[in-house]
């Protein structure tokens, strides 16, 4: 019989997946729960929470496992996870992806950084950090990030059988997407073998932050600004959409640009920055200066629209968007 390595006061081993729409966290949660129920003989449940948007918006998937004698009557979100799997590193900019972790929780991150670097980025005091370049593996194997993340998670959860997961992959994808089964299995296998794991102990005298429920409102009768001021206006000019990029970004070469504005026509998020200049005949014309990557969510529609290949799809590397961005200048923002 399979024994869970640790459980909470209700008898549950809990996992939370932090992702954005389009990376497959919802499907990964369902497949993970199925593998635990069918392969390990556990009770399990999986459900997700997300908005009405599709790609790019934050997504959470919640998984609970327990032994067969423990009924699952709790379908509330996982607040105190034993394992957190972060499908998109940039989520940490706007979401507290490691909220509620214990001192011995494991945090799996899709990143190229080292565990030491990520410990600072995630503001973790202790725990185990596992790192996998899931995006790089998915691009190389022509598959999706979720398969690589699932492989790494099975390495971190030894009570789950990888062979059972492979059968689940074949069953889930074999009927509708038979051409994807082989690449999905390769991606899963690489995720299992290529994950890097490092433990960090709490410094003597320090303790983990006090647990605060995720649904605790920031503004209430004691903390609301005077006069009903809206502290977080909904204007898209003030938002940072960079967390919606899922690994790829447009690269702009001004030498190839004919300033036709086809890119700006299809762009949904005011990414392109223009400036009025004189053309060769001395007439005032609008010229494209570059891209403000604060607003670029990586939809890549501009690349398809560009007639001169001035825009190309490239793999996003840490810091490149910051160095290449051309900022908008708004008079009243």
């Amino acid at each position: 019989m399979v024994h869970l390595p640790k459980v909470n006061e209700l008898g549950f081993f809990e996992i939370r997946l932090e992702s954005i729409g389009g990376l497959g966290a919802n499907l990964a949660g369902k497949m993970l729960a199925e593998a635990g129920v069918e392969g390990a003989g556990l009770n399990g449940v999986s459900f997700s929470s997300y908005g009405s948007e599709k790609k790019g918006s934050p997504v959470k998937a919640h998984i609970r496992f327990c032994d067969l004698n423990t009924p699952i009557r709790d379908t509330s979100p996982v607040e105190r996870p034993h394992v957190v799997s972060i499908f998109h590193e940039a989520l940490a900019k706007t979401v507290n992806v490691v909220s509620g972790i214990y001192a011995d929780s494991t945090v799996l991150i899709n990143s190229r950084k080292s565990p030491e670097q990520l410990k600072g980025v995630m503001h973790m005091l202790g725990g185990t950090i596992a790192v996998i370049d899931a995006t790089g593996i998915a691009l190389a194997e022509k598959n999706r990030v979720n398969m690589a993340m699932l492989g790494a998670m099975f390495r971190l959860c030894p009570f789950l059988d990888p062979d059972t997961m492979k059968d689940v992959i074949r069953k889930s994808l074999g009927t509708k997407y038979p051409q994807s089964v082989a690449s999905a299995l390769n991606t899963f296998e690489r995720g299992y073998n290529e994950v890097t794991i490092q433990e960090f102990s709490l410094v003597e005298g320090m303790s983990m932050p006090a647990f605060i429920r995720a649904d605790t409102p920031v503004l209430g009768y004691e903390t609301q600004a005077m006069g009903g001021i809206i502290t977080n206006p909904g204007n898209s000019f003030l938002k940072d959409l960079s967390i919606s990029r899922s690994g790829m970004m447009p690269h702009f070469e001004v030498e190839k640009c004919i300033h036709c504005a086809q890119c700006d026509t299809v762009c949904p998020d005011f990414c392109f920055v223009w400036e009025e200049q004189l053309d060769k005949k001395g007439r005032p014309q609008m010229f494209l200066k570059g891209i403000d990557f604060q607003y670029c969510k990586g939809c890549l529609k501009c690349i398809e629209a560009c007639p001169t290949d001035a825009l190309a799809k490239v793999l996003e590397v840490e810091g490149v968007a910051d160095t290449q961005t051309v900022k908008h200048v708004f008079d009243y923002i």
Side-chain angles (χ1 to χ4, degrees):
M1 181 178 176
V2 172
H3 292 281
L4 293 167
K6 61 190 84 169
V7 293
N8 61 15
E9 63 278 3
L10 297 177
F12 300 141
F13 182 89
E14 299 188 327
I15 300 171
R16 186 173 72 224
L17 312 184
E18 300 273 0
S19 182
I20 60 172
L23 295 184
N26 180 37
L27 177 61
K30 293 178 180 178
M31 296 173 76
L32 184 63
E34 184 176 345
V37 170
E38 292 191 354
L42 297 167
N43 269 351
V45 64
S46 169
F47 54 95
S48 300
S49 57
Y50 45 86
S52 59
E53 307 90 346
K54 293 185 178 180
K55 291 185 177 181
S57 57
V59 171
K60 294 180 188 288
H62 312 274
I63 301 98
R64 288 188 172 93
F65 290 121
C66 58
D67 62 50
L68 291 176
N69 296 320
T70 303
I72 300 179
R73 296 193 176 98
D74 184 2
T75 55
S76 62
V78 170
E79 297 272 13
R80 305 299 310 273
H82 298 100
V83 177
V84 178
S85 182
I86 303 169
F87 282 46
H88 193 32
E89 177 190 349
L91 273 171
K93 294 180 181 178
T94 57
V95 179
N96 185 7
V97 288
V98 296
S99 66
I101 62 172
Y102 301 97
D104 59 350
S105 291
T106 299
V107 179
L108 171 66
I109 308 168
N110 173 18
S111 176
R112 295 179 177 179
K113 294 187 177 76
S114 67
E116 292 87 353
Q117 291 174 305
L118 291 167
K119 181 175 181 288
V121 172
M122 300 295 166
H123 306 292
M124 291 177 59
L125 301 178
T128 299
I129 296 180
V131 184
I132 183 71
D133 182 14
T135 300
I137 293 173
L139 290 172
E141 298 294 337
K142 295 181 173 58
N143 207 266
R144 300 182 72 187
V145 166
N146 59 351
M147 291 297 113
M149 296 298 286
L150 276 172
M153 290 184 66
F154 268 71
R155 179 78 172 273
L156 302 174
C157 301
F159 59 90
L160 297 175
D161 182 11
D163 291 331
T164 301
M165 188 66 226
K166 293 176 183 177
D167 291 337
V168 172
I169 292 173
R170 294 186 186 97
K171 182 174 70 174
S172 300
L173 302 179
T175 303
K176 294 182 67 175
Y177 311 104
Q179 72 280 3
S180 300
V181 172
S183 62
L185 292 173
N186 290 340
T187 305
F188 175 83
E189 191 73 29
R190 287 189 60 182
Y192 185 89
N193 293 323
E194 297 179 21
V195 63
T196 301
I197 305 169
Q198 186 171 343
E199 295 184 13
F200 296 92
S201 300
L202 272 175
V203 177
E204 187 175 352
M206 294 189 68
S207 59
M208 295 294 287
F211 169 63
I212 301 175
R213 286 181 57 95
D215 57 359
T216 302
V218 176
L219 299 178
Y221 74 95
E222 292 182 329
T223 55
Q224 176 69 47
M226 294 296 290
I229 296 172
I230 300 175
T231 59
N232 184 23
N235 194 311
S236 62
F237 286 121
L238 303 179
K239 303 300 182 183
D240 184 353
L241 303 183
S242 63
I243 67 163
S244 297
R245 294 198 293 270
S246 55
M248 307 302 291
M249 60 181 283
H251 174 69
F252 176 55
E253 294 186 38
V254 66
E255 296 81 8
K256 297 181 180 179
C257 183
I258 59 174
H259 311 284
C260 64
Q262 290 295 324
C263 53
D264 206 11
T265 301
V266 299
C267 177
D269 292 300
F270 310 103
C271 297
F272 293 94
V273 182
W274 297 83
E275 183 179 56
E276 185 174 319
Q277 300 175 5
L278 298 179
D279 64 11
K280 295 178 181 179
K281 296 183 178 180
R283 299 171 299 184
Q285 300 286 347
M286 297 302 292
F287 288 84
L288 180 60
K289 292 179 61 180
I291 303 171
D292 190 338
F293 284 102
Q294 174 183 340
Y295 308 115
C296 177
K297 61 188 178 184
C299 69
L300 305 179
K301 294 179 180 178
C302 56
I303 295 170
E304 299 176 10
C306 181
T308 64
D309 296 327
L311 291 164
K313 179 173 68 173
V314 297
L315 180 65
E316 182 169 4
V317 179
E318 181 76 16
V320 169
D322 294 332
T323 58
Q324 294 185 359
T325 194
V326 177
K327 300 300 293 182
H328 276 295
V329 178
F330 300 118
D331 295 335
Y332 301 106
I333 298 292

